[in-house]
Amino acid sequence: MEKSDLNLLIGGEAGQGLLTIGDLLTKCLVRAGYSVVVTQSYHSRIRGGHNTFALRVSSKQVVAPRESVDLLIALNEETVNLHRTEVVEGGLILADEAYGIGSGGCLQVPYQELSEERFANIVAFGVVSHLLGLDQKLVAKTVEDAFGKKDSQLVEKNRLALNDAFNWSGQQAVDFPKLPRVADSGQRLVMNGNEAIAMGALSAGVKFCAFYPMTPATSIALNLAAQASRMGLVVEQAEDEIAAINMAIGASFAGAPSIVPTSGGGFALMTEGVSLAGMTETPVVIVVAQRPGPATGLPTRTEQADLEFVLHAGHGEFPRAIFSPGTVEECFWLTRKAFEVALKTQSPVFILTDQFLADSSRAVIPFDLKNLKPIDSGIETDPSNLPYRRYAITESGISPRLVPGMTEHLVVAGSDEHPVDGHLTEDLNIRKQMVEKRLRKEQGIIREAISPVYSGDDRPDILMITWGSSVGAVLEAAAQLRNQSRSVGTLHFPQVWPLVPDQFMAYFQNSGEVVCIEGNAFGQLARLIRRETGFAVHRNVLRYDGLPITPEYIIRELGN
Amino acid sequence: MEKSDLNLLIGGEAGQGLLTIGDLLTKCLVRAGYSVVVTQSYHSRIRGGHNTFALRVSSKQVVAPRESVDLLIALNEETVNLHRTEVVEGGLILADEAYGIGSGGCLQVPYQELSEERFANIVAFGVVSHLLGLDQKLVAKTVEDAFGKKDSQLVEKNRLALNDAFNWSGQQAVDFPKLPRVADSGQRLVMNGNEAIAMGALSAGVKFCAFYPMTPATSIALNLAAQASRMGLVVEQAEDEIAAINMAIGASFAGAPSIVPTSGGGFALMTEGVSLAGMTETPVVIVVAQRPGPATGLPTRTEQADLEFVLHAGHGEFPRAIFSPGTVEECFWLTRKAFEVALKTQSPVFILTDQFLADSSRAVIPFDLKNLKPIDSGIETDPSNLPYRRYAITESGISPRLVPGMTEHLVVAGSDEHPVDGHLTEDLNIRKQMVEKRLRKEQGIIREAISPVYSGDDRPDILMITWGSSVGAVLEAAAQLRNQSRSVGTLHFPQVWPLVPDQFMAYFQNSGEVVCIEGNAFGQLARLIRRETGFAVHRNVLRYDGLPITPEYIIRELGN
Amino acid sequence: MVSIEEYGQFETAWCPGCGNFSILESVKRGLVASRLEPHQLLFVSGIGQAAKTPHYLNANVFNGLHGRALPVATGAKLANPNLKVIVESGDGCNYGEGGNHFLAAIRRNIDLTMIVHDNQVYGLTKGQASPTTQEGFVTKAQPEGVASTPFNPIAVAVAMQASFVARGFSGMGDHLTTLIEKAIAHEGFALIDVLQPCVSFNKVNTFAWYKKRCYTLSEEYDPTDWQAAMAKATEWGDSIPLGILYRQQRPTFEARLAVLQQGGLVDRETDLRELEKIMDKFS
Amino acid sequence: MVSIEEYGQFETAWCPGCGNFSILESVKRGLVASRLEPHQLLFVSGIGQAAKTPHYLNANVFNGLHGRALPVATGAKLANPNLKVIVESGDGCNYGEGGNHFLAAIRRNIDLTMIVHDNQVYGLTKGQASPTTQEGFVTKAQPEGVASTPFNPIAVAVAMQASFVARGFSGMGDHLTTLIEKAIAHEGFALIDVLQPCVSFNKVNTFAWYKKRCYTLSEEYDPTDWQAAMAKATEWGDSIPLGILYRQQRPTFEARLAVLQQGGLVDRETDLRELEKIMDKFS
Ligand SMILES: Cc1ncc(C[n+]2csc(CCOP(=O)(O)OP(=O)(O)O)c2C)c(N)n1
Ligand SMILES: Cc1ncc(C[n+]2csc(CCOP(=O)(O)OP(=O)(O)O)c2C)c(N)n1
Ligand code: SF4
Ligand code: SF4
Ligand SMILES: [Mg+2]
Ligand SMILES: [Mg+2]
């Protein structure tokens, strides 16, 4: 029996190695040519708690998590108790025979017999791989790549454990669907959202990153730190988030394209700095990896509730752009784009992601780095008008940018209102001109704005709009509804600010019911669309329990 | 000749005593029964610069500043040069004869002859008082009250200087309109916006204020500090704004109604704390006294550009209320109201004021303190359900509030998502319930919401809407337009969040052109109204040069 | 008399073997020795593994933001000086994000006990350097090793003449209990920096590492001698002194505020007659 | 050679008689003595009266937020270590709002010169207490007098073994000029706390008050002796020592970052081939 779309759920305590099994399986499945969507759900603790690693795998392209479970890999009994009901008819539970759950719908693994305790994860991985019909060589290679080849004893033990797992599995009479073979689709990468943001930033020429650790943003900085010496950048853990953003502004002022990854609470501390970037016209890219608030909230879960906060963060008025990647690929490309817009318009630019996307590994076709155009830093070395004036009034609002110390010209940037030379002013006519100059830059940002992505029928009965990481669930829900012969369109906003009504109003007008789907309680994108266009969406599908939106969730909610 | 409405402008350097003259005149005129509107414009420095103190005075009720000047009191030559053109036909310049401006339209005062240098301010005050037709006894009494009676030598010298000023003025043949006498209108106070906020807070039972100095908010704290020992509160200058809001939350948690005054940049640092107040459901009143941004901007000028920032400040989602007083009286009453709503709904509540209103003295009928109902702290001492649960789920969303140490029951507040007992949870069903519980409190806030204030014709051709300190200018502009036989309505929002469409949509529907008038560049209230109602105002009148909106400004802009 | 049972037993979210367990135990014992009932106490913490501690005993609790325990505690203490307020949080929370409040609290000498779980690492966020992490320590965030000199909280506190400065070690429970008892009894700001092994992320400063180096100050040591204290404060490495390193009597912040001499703010009525007189000044 | 004229003459927004004028003069002279051209310099300041200083000379300037000069300076220095970066701001800015960055900058030992105009008051916001205001000082914000112990920046810096810790006085211009020159020459973080009379708001610590108390450290004083420095650091009141109180050579932060050994970040090309290899690891 074959099944093209399987959902695996690994459950256990933190520290039990479910990440190891999950990562190995993911890598192996991607190498075998499958499409994957990983959803990680964990507690805010280091050991213990109940964590899950969901791995949806398919021979076709999949882009969203799924709720029902085909294979439950239980690393403890609690997992069986908590998730048993999610397992579908014909699904399977993989558990230590020691739990004594019986063999109905369960493959009981004699871990103790099969291996030393420390190789139990490898055994589990082996058993699952065999169940899924993966090639043992590929499986062995994946383990080798993960653990390195230096320790030959370890390599050998891993190989043996895997062997035992495959042999044992081969002897079991289990009725579990195999994945259909897929054609070789060429090299693909396994990458999660945060990794893609880090890689996107590196490709854009990031030279400075300051951060204060905060889940789920930290791994962006860690990924950059790992490459700092190779790629020639400085990654500095600041004393607090206020320092982080101010350091990034200082570095950027001095010529280093800068990024600041954080999450809601840390970002809150940066809002004064955001305003400073706006006033001094210093480019800076800020990643806000969302998690459920208010305050500390649920630090390891997901939510999309900081759109309005980020859009209005910082006192006073100045332009900005906010990107909202929905896929790992978009994390990469929109991070590049964020640097481009920040540098071109000398403004703070934001990337809104969230815990789900941050931790969600996917198969990605390698980015074509060879054909990338380098991003223009916007820094001049030879100003056309002298004396050099950092804030010269221009039609575009963009003033010539020099960096200090690189020429004989002096660069003066001021957080107070300033005349063209950057010094202090109390002249209220200048004030007015400067406000207008700064706000004119929004036109440039609008010109760069990425269109919402539409897919579906020309005049659908129902249009589902969404932003950020919920897009996968929306696309799949749409596909399912179409299977039920419903006429559905989807509109994804990879950029939520500025909104350019011309890019999307026609879709609203040509659709029946317009439903906005987002991971918050206020319906923030919907409110924003109404503010900008007057259009009130007909319905909201919202989620704010800390879990990502799934296709099933959308269909359930729409059913109401 | 009499003129019922005069605009006086005192100009000079910081430190030259224009505040002394201005304050004395204001007090004296109010005691004499006139209506006043003070507009202070100063530089961000301690000595020098060019500062002005505009004092509009009238025998009728006035509520806005005026642009053209009847009497220019120049404390230096620069003032003459800068403001001469603003003086109306028949107006007068009062200047030291030493400047040698000539006597055309100018009363040249021989300050050196008339007094020692340190009494020049008293002389100027005396001359102006005489010009305006003020009673010399009243004038003398005002000086005495201001400088105290302890130093009898000083009292005598002041008296003499005044005498000389009156005598000298009496001998001048000046053709300056006197103010018509007004009937005794009983005791009135001279109070500016910040003083009224402080008094409102005291009347509401504020017990704790933490702040970090920031113009134009500081004087709220200073006014509270001056009364701290008499009124039994603690006013603490914190090490930074983050500490300020967290201290206030701590004090409020322990039972002391708390206030935090700040301005945009300081508020930016508090946004994480705002979110904490939202999550822990701790009442706190935050005053944001606006000034032009971004960043340090124009620290001593005015603007209304932080509405959207304050509305969305803090990560995650939780209810709040934002009051936007437009008059000194509203500063008092809405501060009381802010405490009431904060304590009743256990939420952060905001007061948005600005530099103009903060520093704008007005004549105010004494608040009737005797008939004030004390504000309910919302603190229980005897919980009806045991065991006591700080976050018990209720229909209103409001849970029973106890304070620690006052009973044997333990009070546990958490910034992480929590079950009813306040401890930690990772249960996502509880999460959902808690989000909904917190958001239900918005209904209570809506029930308390103050209606926008309408005045004017039933179906006006033009409806001017506004919020905060711009209301005076809007009212007077409307009056002027009506004098030109135009049909005008005005709608002032003393509360900008939550907006309750039922309270105001009818006005929009019954009006011709709807114009939104506010002191920012984005048209923030207009955008918010559109977001909440879909209604797009037809026109914006915006100002963002650091000066308050005036009736003339509105009429000029409408003319376009 | 209060018994340790009244402080309860709770399930924790800590790793088995973590030093936090013994600190929690010492805290409870210190409270019992101080004869304090749960409702007389207010624990204030920030965010981190250590900051979870107050959830694991019976008391009033305000578990606030990362780094902001001290200002919350300060506000609460001023509102109600009758509360025994104890701040308990990690090294990252108190010396990193909260560094500025640490300086201010010492300056105020407000009557608080501050217990810092110093595991020289950010535990909850998975092992980045904290301000007290030693130079060269390699983490995923500091792949080349920490380049900054570690923050020495004891030296800074003594330099600022904090009124009670102590160091404990989670592995010496009785000693720590006594320190906690004394810190609570001390009138003024009392700091206890508690060395705490983090079995998950700090493989350098382990239980054995501390055990080998820690010694308690001798009876002869005079904690009121500032110069001696300053010298002791910088002793670190091969030997690490435990105990009260510095102590001084000076007035608390609360004692200097006239308004608090009549009791806490919580009980204060609002006197509108007085306010009327104040308002009169505006006329 | 650079002349003082190249640094220009500007109108200021300061009160006549303010100590800031002489500090500005000393700064300029210190720069000339250091043979630095305006474009080689980056001044970073916060907000306050002192923080306006960089606007009154020719140099590259970043005038940032209140309290946040140090992180901006740190970022700029890391981006371009060739810049001579000087932080100049007030006591409130650097020790109040910016206290946490002060601690971190000392720990990093990044090569910056930090000149603090210490007038023991918040000037620009009209006279509230600053962290260095003495106890009992009465202001409108502290009508009962300041209740906190003043912050002693020198003691904290020495306790943390900052690599260059000095005190100057605006009224002793030549001495201050030399300190500035030495601080600029010092490799690592150099603090100069400069006593500065504020004629408008500090009527206690006046020019005469300082003049009477300030003395320069003798030639014999050994600034590398930490214990002696610690003792000197707390000398305040009747006599106030000026000069370099403590000095130490230790590696700068920049020197410890491998990536900066090949020059600043500004000049670095983005190597997409290298990135391709990095990306391969994800396959
Ligand atoms: C403003 C903010 N920044 C960052 C975080 C993320 N964060 C949570 S705990 C922690 C570090 C905790 O370290 P420490 O205080 O030493 O406690 P430990 O876990 O080691 O006991 C950080 C950075 C946060 N919650 N809030
Ligand atoms: C975040 C923030 N808080 C408060 C202020 C207001 N503010 C401006 S200057 C200043 C104090 C300045 O004191 P100090 O640094 O000692 O400088 P001085 O004016 O005394 O030279 C304050 C509190 C601000 N600009 N930003
Ligand atoms: S991570 Fe470290 S500090 Fe946290 S519980 Fe585990 S061992 Fe303790
Ligand atoms: S207020 Fe004080 S510090 Fe500021 S310029 Fe005037 S004298 Fe100098
Ligand atoms: Mg720690
Ligand atoms: Mg100062």
Side-chain angles (χ1 to χ4, degrees), chain D residues 31-48:
Chain D
L31 295 173
V32 171
S34 307
R35 298 162 191 264
L36 287 162
E37 304 270 353
H39 73 273
Q40 299 175 300
L41 290 163
L42 172 62
F43 274 84
V44 181
S45 70
I47 297 296

Side-chain angles (χ1 to χ4, degrees), chain A residues 14-95:
Chain A
Q16 279 198 309
L18 81 174
L19 212 61
T20 312
I21 305 177
D23 284 342
L24 284 172
L25 271 172
T26 308
K27 185 136 275 183
C28 203
L29 287 163
V30 171
R31 286 180 174 181
Y34 297 102
S35 177
V36 295
V37 174
V38 167
T39 310
Q40 296 195 42
S41 167
Y42 46 96
H43 282 204
S44 181
R45 57 193 287 168
I46 306 306
R47 300 260 176 274
H50 178 66
N51 294 5
T52 62
F53 186 105
L55 172 54
R56 183 173 171 204
V57 51
S58 174
S59 54
K60 312 206 182 103
Q61 166 87 347
V62 283
V63 290
R66 217 184 73 192
E67 293 182 358
S68 58
V69 174
D70 297 292
L71 180 62
L72 178 64
I73 301 151
L75 304 187
N76 59 8
E77 282 189 71
E78 192 187 11
T79 300
V80 180
N81 299 332
L82 287 172
H83 299 282
R84 169 161 248 168
T85 55
E86 294 161 33
V87 179
V88 296
E89 277 274 340
L92 192 71
I93 301 174
L94 202 85

Side-chain angles (χ1 to χ4, degrees), chain B residues 46, chain D residues 13-15 18-20 49 119 123-124 196-201:
Chain B
I46 305 306
Chain D
W14 292 325
C15 313
C18 176
N20 286 339
Q49 297 283 45
N119 56 6
L124 189 55
Q196 169 234 328
C198 166
V199 297
S200 290
F201 296 111

